[in-house]
Amino acid sequence: MNNNNNNKNKSIESNPRVSQLQKVINSNNSSSSSSSDNWDKSWQQGITPWDLGQPTPIILHLHMIAGLPMGKALVPGCGTGYDVVAMACPERYVVGLEISENAINKALEFSASSPNADYFTFFKADFFTWNPPELFDLIFDYTFFCAIEPHMRTAWAETTRKLLKPGGELITLMFPISDHVGGPPYKVSVSDYEKVLYPVGFEAISIVDNEMAIGPRKGKEKLGRWKMSVERSSL
C-alpha cells in the first residue's frame, strides 16, 4: 500500500507540466488579482496539464444514462468547456464559469459549432464573488477544488451552498487523492470535502471510486454526490 501511495505522489510531483504550472501560478501570487492573472498566463502559454482534451468520461456516462439532475447546472473552473457542452441538452442548461479570459476564448472556440449551443453559455467571473440571477439545480466540480489554495476551501463550500437551490445536487470528482506536497493541484481526501461541506448543510448521498477515471488518474479519484438538506439550507 505504501508503494502505491508513493507512485501516486510521484506521478504528480514528477510531472514536468505540473511543475511548469506551479511556477506560473505561484509566481508573485500575493493577491487574488495576481492569482487570476497567473491562471490566465497558464492558458495563454498552453500549460494546462489538467485538460483531458475530451469530456470527463464519468460525466458523459451519467448524462447518457440520464443520471444527472435536470434544470440549470454550473461548472466552475470549466476550462475548455468539454463537460459544459457534454451535459447541455434541452432539459439541462449549463453555465461554464472561468476566471481566465484566455480559457473563455478557448471554450468559445471549441463550442462554436456545437449543435446544442442553445443550451449552454460561458461567463468570465470569480466564483467567490459572482452573483448570478438564478440558483442552480446541479454544480459539478472536478479540478476546481484542487486548484484553489486549501485555506479557501471553506469559502468554496459556502459559495457552493449559496449558488445551489435547496434540494440541489453537488457532484465532486475528488482528485488528486494523494499525499503529495504543494500545488496546484493540491492534494485532496474525502475528509477534506466532508470537513467543509457538512457544516454548511450538505449530506453525502454516495462516495465511490471513479471506475471510469483515465489511465494516469486511476486510483486517485472518487465520485462524490451531495445533496443540500432542505431544512439546513433555509437557515
Side-chain angles (χ1 to χ4, degrees):
M1 183 175 292
N2 289 337
N3 288 337
N4 288 338
N5 287 337
N6 289 336
N7 290 335
K8 290 178 184 179
N9 300 341
K10 287 178 181 178
S11 67
I12 294 172
E13 294 175 336
S14 63
N15 187 325
R17 297 196 70 217
V18 171
S19 298
Q20 286 180 314
L21 172 69
Q22 292 173 352
K23 288 179 181 178
V24 172
I25 300 303
N26 297 326
S27 63
N28 302 317
N29 191 11
S30 59
S31 68
S32 59
S33 61
S34 66
S35 176
S36 172
D37 291 343
N38 290 347
W39 281 109
D40 206 40
K41 286 179 184 176
S42 75
W43 279 99
Q44 184 179 35
Q45 297 174 23
I47 306 173
T48 56
W50 63 85
D51 193 317
L52 296 182
Q54 64 182 47
T56 306
I58 186 63
I59 286 298
L60 186 58
H61 171 72
L62 289 172
H63 169 66
M64 296 298 290
I65 65 170
L68 296 174
M70 299 302 181
K72 195 166 184 180
L74 172 66
V75 183
C78 66
T80 310
Y82 305 114
D83 292 328
V84 172
V85 175
M87 287 193 290
C89 62
E91 297 80 22
R92 185 185 306 109
Y93 190 86
V94 187
V95 176
L97 197 67
E98 257 297 341
I99 200 169
S100 163
E101 185 74 36
N102 281 298
I104 289 289
N105 291 338
K106 289 278 189 183
L108 292 173
E109 180 182 357
F110 161 72
S111 63
S113 60
S114 297
N116 58 343
D118 290 340
Y119 309 117
F120 64 80
T121 192
F122 296 98
F123 284 114
K124 179 183 180 295
D126 184 336
F127 172 77
F128 296 97
T129 58
W130 185 49
N131 290 298
E134 297 179 67
L135 300 181
F136 295 91
D137 300 280
L138 167 66
I139 296 178
F140 172 54
D141 184 303
Y142 187 4
T143 53
F144 187 64
F145 185 87
C146 69
I148 60 176
E149 295 184 43
H151 72 83
M152 299 177 66
R153 290 174 176 176
T154 296
W156 167 86
E158 292 170 346
T159 304
T160 298
R161 181 191 65 81
K162 182 183 73 172
L163 296 177
L164 201 61
K165 290 181 181 178
E169 182 173 350
L170 167 67
I171 296 180
T172 57
L173 202 46
M174 306 175 186
F175 169 83
I177 297 176
S178 73
D179 292 319
H180 73 273
V181 177
Y186 295 95
K187 66 180 181 180
V188 307
S189 66
V190 172
S191 63
D192 288 333
Y193 288 83
E194 293 174 335
K195 183 168 62 177
V196 295
L197 288 173
Y198 284 161
V200 297
F202 282 94
E203 300 172 351
I205 304 304
S206 69
I207 298 175
V208 297
D209 290 337
N210 179 19
E211 302 294 346
M212 300 186 72
I214 64 166
R217 301 184 185 183
K218 284 190 180 296
K220 292 183 247 180
E221 291 186 352
K222 289 185 182 292
L223 180 69
R225 304 191 71 155
W226 316 77
K227 294 278 284 187
M228 280 293 300
S229 165
V230 176
E231 294 79 10
R232 293 288 302 276
S233 63
S234 65
L235 296 178

